Amino acid sequence: MEVKAEEIVRAEGLCKSFPLSAKLRRIEHTSKTRQIAVDGLDFSAYRGEIYGLLGPNGAGKTTTLRMLSTLIRPDAGDAFVCGHSVVREPGRVRDKIGFMTGELKLESFFTPDYLFDFFGAMHGVEKAVLARRKRELFSRFGIDRFAGVKVKNLSTGMTQKVSLVVSIVHDPDVVIFDEPTNGLDVLTAKVVTDFLAELRAMGKSVILSTHIFSLVEKLCDRVGIIIDGRMIADAPLGEFTREKSLETAFFDLYHAVKGEEL
């Protein structure tokens, strides 16, 4: 008998718009006062898989992840993480997720050692568990030698690694990454992608946004194609590509969608 996969994240009709300034209205040659970023988005992600949200810049990927992470509230719709509503139970959702973005700014005068303890305490991690997590993660990412160095004196790659470990200090069930390899050198990018695969092997659920086809092909079990804030396709990777390259399948769909609008 086929075992049904456990749904961990479910988005239902997520919508989000933002006000357009007078300057942007002039640039865009529009009289609209709001810009729709996400328009009725539905999708599901399952335990022990990596879900890739793929689309061009400005498609609504980051806005979607920010709603899932409770950083911004949807205008309409809802999403559920481990059964908890991002609208009604944001605190319960935050207990279950780790969220990493390139926009996470660490205070420059703190050290990785201090930051890890600070975020651990914020999440209520017991001291003994926190110490073990620190040893494991600092060793895994080569941070241990830099534990006492202020962030302002770390390389970009090391700072990104520190951002990663503090975002998962509480060993979350769901890990959400916005452009996980953006701006990283090839060595650090490989460390991060290898770790994402390890998280999947541990039974974690990973949701990542990207516009990099090779990253999705390498890591993702399922893919959601988002264009102009709408989910155009949502399927297992092989089912979506159907023996094409992901790049070819994406642009076939993209041109079909944009062509319908002309």
Side-chain angles (χ1 to χ4, degrees):
M1 186 176 73
E2 183 180 355
V3 178
K4 188 175 181 180
E6 181 184 357
E7 185 182 66
I8 295 297
V9 175
R10 183 175 78 256
E12 296 181 349
L14 284 178
C15 296
K16 188 66 182 179
S17 65
F18 298 98
L20 277 175
S21 67
K23 182 178 180 179
L24 281 175
R25 291 200 298 272
R26 287 195 301 271
I27 292 172
E28 298 290 335
H29 302 291
T30 180
S31 60
K32 294 188 301 183
T33 58
R34 298 191 70 83
Q35 176 67 48
I36 296 174
V38 175
D39 187 10
L41 212 64
D42 298 304
F43 72 93
S44 295
Y46 300 89
R47 182 176 297 280
E49 75 167 13
I50 299 178
Y51 185 98
L53 197 60
L54 178 66
N57 289 338
K61 304 186 301 297
T62 293
T63 300
T64 298
L65 295 193
R66 286 178 173 273
M67 286 189 285
L68 292 181
S69 303
T70 74
L71 294 178
I72 57 176
R73 186 182 178 93
D75 297 335
D78 202 347
F80 300 86
V81 178
C82 300
H84 302 296
S85 162
V86 301
V87 174
R88 298 188 303 276
E89 306 169 281
R92 299 293 295 274
V93 171
R94 287 191 286 271
D95 288 340
K96 296 294 183 180
I97 65 169
F99 178 58
M100 183 180 170
T101 171
E103 296 180 5
L104 176 62
K105 305 300 182 186
L106 301 176
E107 291 291 350
S108 62
F109 49 87
F110 289 139
T111 65
D113 189 65
Y114 175 86
L115 288 166
F116 194 86
D117 289 348
F118 174 81
F119 280 93
M122 187 173 66
H123 283 287
V125 182
E126 295 181 2
K127 288 186 176 180
V129 175
L130 186 64
R132 186 183 72 246
R133 290 279 291 168
K134 184 192 292 185
R135 287 194 302 271
E136 292 172 352
L137 290 172
F138 277 30
S139 175
R140 172 69 177 77
F141 289 97
I143 300 172
D144 36 12
R145 293 189 297 118
F146 302 92
V149 178
K150 290 182 179 180
V151 167
K152 67 181 180 182
N153 296 321
L154 297 176
S155 67
T156 301
M158 185 56 64
T159 302
Q160 192 82 336
K161 291 178 184 179
V162 176
S163 298
L164 169 59
V165 300
V166 300
S167 71
I168 58 171
V169 61
H170 54 309
D171 195 20
D173 293 324
V174 180
V175 181
I176 299 173
F177 284 95
D178 189 15
E179 302 285 357
T181 60
N182 193 33
L184 299 183
D185 63 82
V186 292
L187 296 177
T188 305
K190 186 176 188 321
V191 170
V192 171
T193 55
D194 286 350
F195 186 64
L196 294 179
E198 289 178 19
L199 288 172
R200 173 176 55 196
M202 294 164 57
K204 306 290 187 182
S205 301
V206 178
I207 299 177
L208 61 88
S209 75
T210 186
H211 59 274
I212 302 173
F213 297 113
S214 60
L215 184 64
V216 175
E217 288 179 314
K218 178 180 179 180
L219 286 176
C220 295
D221 303 287
R222 294 177 59 85
V223 62
I225 306 300
I226 182 171
I227 299 172
D228 295 334
R230 293 178 288 130
M231 187 67 78
I232 306 301
D234 174 24
L237 182 60
E239 185 177 306
F240 173 69
T241 56
R242 296 188 182 277
E243 300 183 357
K244 299 178 182 178
S245 71
L246 178 58
E247 181 176 7
T248 298
F250 173 84
F251 280 110
D252 285 350
L253 179 61
Y254 181 83
H255 291 308
V257 169
K258 301 301 281 189
E260 290 174 359
E261 297 176 354
L262 296 179

